[in-house]
Amino acid sequence: LHLSLRRQRQMCIRDRGSSDSGGTAPTGLSGVVGFANPLTNDQRLLLAPTTTAAVTAITDNVGTVTGTVPSGATTDDPSLSISGTLSAGLVAGETVRLYDGSTFLGTATVSGTSWNFVDSRTLTNNQRVSYTATVANSAGNQSAAGTAYTATVDTAAPNAPVLALGTGVANGATSAEATAAGGVVTVAGENNSAISVTFSRPGGGTVTKTLTGTGATQAVALTSGEVTTLGNGTISVSATQTDAAGNAQAASASTTTFSLDTVAPTVTITDSDPNTVNITDGSVTFTFTFSEAVTGFDSTKVTVGNGSKGTFSTVSSSVYTLVVTPTAAAAGNITVDVSTTGVTDAAGNQATPPAQYTQAFDTLAPTVTITDSDPNTVNISDGTVTFSFTFTEAVTGFDSSKVTVGN
């Protein structure tokens, strides 16, 4: 005689979980003794379904970051869509049950070997979900749950990222500093956040740089083309971020400014004597006028030829003078050469050296040779004698009053 179904149920060795009222997802029967072969429908209901369900995706449908949320990631959607697959099609009476940890959420909508479900709860900030799915038959026996698909709800807007000027930029950025790997500015935002850093100049261009936050300080450098786009002047910088969950920054943007200066200073040399410097003049003063204020300029930057350097004076941060005494008993050109190594403007641009400057001078006194027209003794028949005065160079101011004759 066949054992009664009640007796069969008592004899089965089973591993059965909770009913539809909730609780930990059950694993179903693990073995049966005394069942007919093949099983009857009633006997089959005592076993866990052989079909299994897997959670394969969580979908975020709100905010700026939407789509599939990777397992273990964050989301700003308080009501998530969950989807998955089945190892085989369901048979009559079977359903797909969804759990968050040990909490039963409901049954999914099934189509073929795919299913989907909407978590109708209002999830809160920092709430962690751990979704699993099982296949249950009409007797309440369930398949083993698959790997949990997790996410953390993040509905809090991030703070503004931390923005700071790069090294050496406080007094102005040269082209080299703006494009340096160390960054014209630095920014620190949340890990995996989308950071936007915008540079702009009134009347000039705008440049926006985007990067992914790491939770640490990151350098933001411009390209040479972006430097050209912005142009010289005061550059305004702002930074905002959207966190990995898609929450946009609610606070005001972080801001700072710096001066972009890519123009090297130039220098013009003039002197105090529009003519040739002579013995009477004694010395000549050279003036060095820079196109903007500079530092690092002194007499050591000036090399003088055919003269000696005297007093060096700072008239202003852009104007300097140097007194030069020409070489004695000589004539030619005083030469002035300027080295601009270490001569920079506030931003750090090195000045462009000027061409050599020259000033004519003549400190060589002319000499005169006297000869006469009679190689012999002048006598009565000669009557007169003519004296010639030959100078070594052209002179002015010579006349008879300069000659005294005796006898």
Side-chain angles (χ1 to χ4, degrees), residues 303-341:
T303 300
V304 174
N306 291 323
S308 57
K309 292 187 287 185
T311 302
F312 179 87
S313 301
T314 300
V315 178
S316 70
S317 58
S318 60
V319 179
Y320 305 84
T321 61
L322 177 66
V323 176
V324 174
T325 300
T327 302
N333 286 317
I334 301 171
T335 60
V336 178
D337 293 279
V338 172
S339 168
T340 56
T341 301

Side-chain angles (χ1 to χ4, degrees), residues 1-2 39 92 242 252 257 274-275 293 382 400:
L1 296 176
H2 292 292
L39 298 174
T242 298
S252 299
T257 62
N275 303 308
D382 293 327
S400 63

Side-chain angles (χ1 to χ4, degrees), residues 4-358:
S4 68
L5 183 57
R6 179 184 300 275
R7 177 64 173 157
Q8 293 172 25
R9 291 170 66 95
Q10 292 172 345
M11 293 179 64
C12 69
I13 302 171
R14 60 196 176 186
D15 178 12
R16 184 172 177 183
S18 63
S19 67
D20 287 356
S21 62
T24 302
T27 58
L29 297 175
S30 59
V32 175
V33 177
F35 275 16
N37 187 17
L39 298 174
T40 66
N41 287 335
D42 285 340
Q43 291 172 333
R44 187 174 291 108
L45 290 176
L46 300 176
L47 302 174
T50 57
T51 299
T52 57
V55 180
T56 59
I58 295 175
T59 303
D60 183 320
N61 297 303
V62 302
T64 58
V65 178
T66 58
T68 300
V69 179
S71 184
T74 57
T75 174
D76 63 345
D77 191 339
S79 182
L80 294 166
S81 297
I82 309 149
S83 58
T85 58
L86 296 167
S87 61
L90 300 181
V91 299
E94 291 182 334
T95 59
V96 175
R97 296 165 60 90
L98 265 293
Y99 292 85
D100 176 9
S102 62
T103 301
F104 173 65
L105 301 179
T107 57
T109 300
V110 179
S111 176
T113 57
S114 299
W115 58 266
N116 59 76
F117 179 82
V118 175
D119 189 343
S120 60
R121 299 174 298 173
T122 300
L123 304 174
T124 58
N125 187 49
N126 289 327
Q127 183 173 348
R128 185 178 185 274
V129 292
S130 181
Y131 293 123
T132 56
T134 66
V135 176
N137 61 24
S138 58
N141 292 304
Q142 300 182 55
S143 65
T147 302
Y149 200 113
T150 65
T152 300
V153 178
D154 178 3
T155 57
N159 294 324
V162 178
L163 184 66
L165 294 178
T167 302
V169 177
N171 291 326
T174 64
S175 180
E177 289 170 332
T179 58
V184 67
V185 296
T186 61
V187 65
E190 289 187 8
N191 192 39
N192 291 322
S193 65
I195 301 175
S196 178
V197 182
T198 299
F199 300 80
S200 62
R201 181 178 67 84
T206 298
V207 171
T208 298
K209 310 284 281 187
T210 58
L211 59 157
T212 300
T214 63
T217 298
Q218 296 173 271
V220 183
L222 298 170
T223 66
S224 57
E226 289 168 340
V227 169
T228 300
T229 297
L230 289 171
N232 290 301
T234 300
I235 307 300
S236 297
V237 189
S238 64
T240 59
Q241 67 178 332
T242 298
D243 67 19
N247 297 295
Q249 175 183 317
S252 299
S254 296
T255 60
T256 189
T257 62
F258 68 91
S259 175
L260 183 59
D261 181 357
T262 64
V263 179
T266 58
V267 57
T268 301
I269 306 174
T270 57
D271 70 70
S272 58
D273 197 326
N275 303 308
T276 301
V277 179
N278 55 40
I279 295 174
T280 303
D281 296 326
S283 64
V284 59
T285 299
F286 292 90
T287 299
F288 307 88
T289 305
F290 288 85
S291 57
E292 59 181 302
V294 296
T295 58
F297 186 68
D298 56 32
S299 63
T300 64
K301 306 297 183 182
V302 182
T303 300
V304 174
N306 291 323
S308 57
K309 292 187 287 185
T311 302
F312 179 87
S313 301
T314 300
V315 178
S316 70
S317 58
S318 60
V319 179
Y320 305 84
T321 61
L322 177 66
V323 176
V324 174
T325 300
T327 302
N333 286 317
I334 301 171
T335 60
V336 178
D337 293 279
V338 172
S339 168
T340 56
T341 301
V343 180
T344 60
D345 62 17
N349 295 296
Q350 181 171 299
T352 302
Q356 185 182 75
Y357 185 84
T358 61

